[in-house]
Amino acid sequence: MDGEVERFLKINESQHAFAVIYYMRKDGLMATYHPDFIVGTSDKIYLIETKGNDKVFDKNVRQKQTAAVEWCRKTNELKPEERMDREWEYVLISEDNFYGLSANGATISDICERCRVSLSAATGELFV
């Protein structure tokens, strides 16, 4: 069935080197970022970051979002067999979104679709 979770991985920084994303911090220094989870469905792979409500609009979180969206875009340019024959998307799930959506019967796939991050949302620019 489409959208059902087939795979789930809690990313461990020391064990999952493939999941490192480089980004520019707000102070101009390069840094590394590891999303919290990877969830695979029959047609998508979601890179998932969870954040407290107070951190969602933090400048460094925005920088990480921009880098992760771009990382997914580049991954999606690979041949399908090189990306598990799935589309990759970046998702930022806040506390309110998770608890509100799940309390109303949303599945993890529903939550991921609702919380996908676009490049324009990450940068705060309408036309990017």
Side-chain angles (χ1 to χ4, degrees), residues 88-106:
W88 289 62
E89 294 185 352
Y90 179 69
V91 176
L92 177 73
I93 304 174
S94 70
E95 287 177 88
D96 282 351
N97 278 332
F98 179 78
Y99 290 113
L101 292 167
S102 60
N104 286 299

Side-chain angles (χ1 to χ4, degrees), residues 6-7 26 31 34 39 41 44 61 69 73 89 95 103 109 124:
E6 295 179 346
R7 299 174 174 121
K26 69 180 182 179
H34 297 79
V39 171
T41 67
K44 301 224 175 142
V61 172
V69 168
R73 185 192 65 76
E89 294 185 352
E95 287 177 88
S109 295

Side-chain angles (χ1 to χ4, degrees), residues 2-67:
D2 276 350
E4 285 187 24
V5 173
E6 295 179 346
R7 299 174 174 121
F8 177 89
L9 174 70
K10 168 66 175 120
I11 296 174
N12 181 313
E13 293 179 24
S14 64
Q15 294 179 348
H16 302 119
F18 68 90
V20 66
I21 296 172
Y22 295 91
Y23 75 101
M24 185 77 64
R25 293 187 333 198
K26 69 180 182 179
D27 62 7
L29 296 175
M30 288 296 294
T32 58
Y33 161 59
H34 297 79
D36 295 320
F37 305 97
I38 295 179
V39 171
T41 67
S42 61
D43 60 341
K44 301 224 175 142
I45 301 288
Y46 297 104
L47 289 182
I48 300 175
E49 178 69 14
T50 57
K51 283 289 174 215
N53 295 325
D54 61 331
K55 300 290 186 205
V56 171
F57 297 106
D58 178 82
K59 178 72 173 159
N60 281 326
V61 172
R62 291 290 189 159
Q63 295 292 95
K64 291 175 186 180
Q65 288 178 39
T66 301

